[in-house]
Amino acid sequence: MKTSKPLGRQRSNFRKYKALYFITIPGILYFIIFKYLPLMGSVMAFQDYNIFKGFTGSPWVGLDQFRRMFTYTEFLRILENTVLIGLYDILIAFPVPIILALLLNELRKVLFKRILQTIVYLPHFLSWVIIGGIMIGILSPTTGIVNQMLNAIGIKSIYFLGEDSYIRSILVGTGIWKDSGWGTIIYLAALASVNPELYEAARMDGANRWRQTLSITIPAILPTITIMFLLHIGNFLDFGFERVFVFVNSLNEHKGDILDTYIYRVGLIDQQYSYTTAIGLFKSLVGLMLIMIGNTLSKKTSGEGLY
């Protein structure tokens, strides 16, 4: 009798919300087919995989691919590039949508605010191939507008994509231009939920706009910032293949080559499937560990977390 009531309640809930359960089926199938089943291919990281022998016929080599990975000087250089570019992206690019959302929230002319929002959203809908073409044109040493401005003040033209000292700034900067406007959507939604009576009470107490932002606005969106930050660090080593591939060339790859482009070059072109699968597995484990550590620290300090 003790187990029949919860079971009956579950059946009743299922009948009541069966439409909701039904519409979740495509999403569940998507994750099973495209996210979980491909995980079976991770066994290649522990094999000397042969495409003709398959998973069952290829010999097992244990952790040899991981040992090989950490003994390669080239891999360690590319890992350093990936970590540094990911770190710059968190320190510089992550705060930009927050600042942009706070500035947009302060605008009182609704029409101007909507036009400005649309303008900053637009680059998100361009592919990295188009973004790369635009930036290569802007940074061209002969016809680019940046070098023309430098020439106008007496500075010689700079071949930005021909020197490896500029490639990390270009990668982070183009990411900010492309996605910062789109990233403001979630923060603007969080700002819209702030109770206007709090601002009214603050104004009656003599608080100016800056004080209201520090005391009301930022604390109100802090849980959203925490969640977005945790999601961001989960992709710390997953900077994006297309984003880098369109800018990297033989002149700047020493500081611009990252794990994603390395996996493409060594794994697909050189056909070293097991080795690059080990690198991909390493990336995923690092991302999982960062999310777990970040989530634990966040729950202890602010009470907010992903789970």
Side-chain angles (χ1 to χ4, degrees):
M1 293 295 289
K2 289 182 180 178
T3 57
S4 62
K5 287 184 177 178
L7 185 61
R9 193 179 300 119
Q10 289 177 4
R11 288 176 177 171
S12 175
N13 286 335
F14 180 78
R15 284 193 294 270
K16 183 178 180 181
Y17 301 111
K18 60 182 179 184
L20 294 177
Y21 286 113
F22 181 74
I23 63 175
T24 61
I25 291 175
I28 293 171
L29 289 175
Y30 168 80
F31 278 99
I32 290 175
I33 295 171
F34 295 106
K35 299 295 182 182
Y36 288 102
L37 288 180
L39 288 177
M40 296 171 66
S42 300
V43 297
M44 282 196 294
F46 305 96
Q47 293 180 314
D48 185 9
Y49 181 73
N50 185 307
I51 193 170
F52 298 106
K53 295 179 180 177
F55 296 124
T56 55
S58 300
W60 295 90
V61 295
L63 299 176
D64 283 359
Q65 302 294 351
F66 294 92
R67 294 192 191 97
R68 177 187 171 194
M69 187 172 74
F70 286 108
T71 53
Y72 264 29
T73 306
E74 186 183 14
F75 171 78
L76 296 177
R77 175 183 63 80
I78 290 169
L79 179 63
E80 180 187 358
N81 287 343
T82 310
V83 170
L84 286 176
I85 292 174
L87 195 61
Y88 295 155
D89 194 55
I90 285 181
L91 294 177
I92 301 171
F94 180 76
V96 174
I98 302 170
I99 297 169
L100 197 55
L102 292 173
L103 294 175
L104 288 171
N105 191 55
E106 292 298 319
L107 295 176
R108 292 294 172 261
K109 298 290 184 182
V110 177
L111 179 61
F112 178 67
K113 182 178 178 179
R114 295 284 179 265
I115 293 173
L116 199 57
Q117 280 181 269
T118 305
I119 292 172
V120 295
Y121 291 166
L122 283 179
H124 174 78
F125 298 99
L126 301 176
S127 72
W128 277 111
V129 176
I130 297 175
I131 295 285
I134 294 172
M135 293 307 297
I136 289 170
I138 291 174
L139 300 175
S140 168
T142 53
T143 59
I145 186 172
V146 175
N147 275 308
Q148 289 184 6
M149 292 172 67
L150 292 177
N151 293 336
I153 57 176
I155 298 176
K156 292 182 179 178
S157 295
I158 301 172
Y159 187 14
F160 290 99
L161 291 172
E163 297 182 26
D164 56 13
S165 57
Y166 295 106
I167 185 62
R168 292 171 182 165
S169 302
I170 292 171
L171 292 174
V172 175
T174 50
I176 292 173
W177 179 59
K178 185 176 187 298
D179 290 326
S180 292
W182 186 256
T184 60
I185 291 177
I186 294 176
Y187 297 113
L188 286 172
L191 288 169
S193 65
V194 181
N195 189 351
E197 292 181 358
L198 294 175
Y199 293 109
E200 188 66 31
R203 279 194 292 271
M204 292 179 68
D205 290 339
N208 56 25
R209 299 298 300 179
W210 176 243
R211 189 63 191 170
Q212 291 173 36
T213 301
L214 292 178
S215 303
I216 300 173
T217 308
I218 293 179
I221 64 171
L222 195 57
T224 305
I225 295 173
T226 303
I227 298 298
M228 296 304 294
F229 181 75
L230 290 174
L231 293 173
H232 198 83
I233 61 171
N235 296 319
F236 181 69
L237 294 182
D238 194 13
F239 195 69
F241 169 76
E242 290 181 353
R243 178 175 176 176
V244 179
F245 188 70
V246 295
F247 291 110
V248 167
N249 55 51
S250 58
L251 298 175
N252 61 28
E253 67 177 3
H254 184 72
K255 290 188 177 179
D257 205 9
I258 64 168
L259 289 177
D260 292 312
T261 51
Y262 182 65
I263 289 172
Y264 164 74
R265 191 173 63 252
V266 177
L268 293 181
I269 297 179
D270 296 344
Q271 300 178 354
Q272 300 186 42
Y273 303 115
S274 294
Y275 175 54
T276 49
T277 302
I279 297 174
L281 198 57
F282 168 75
K283 277 178 52 185
S284 301
L285 290 176
V286 170
L288 178 63
M289 288 175 61
L290 287 175
I291 282 186
M292 293 177 70
I293 294 171
N295 191 69
T296 303
L297 292 175
S298 175
K299 290 184 78 172
K300 286 185 177 179
T301 54
S302 66
E304 300 293 335
L306 288 173
Y307 54 89

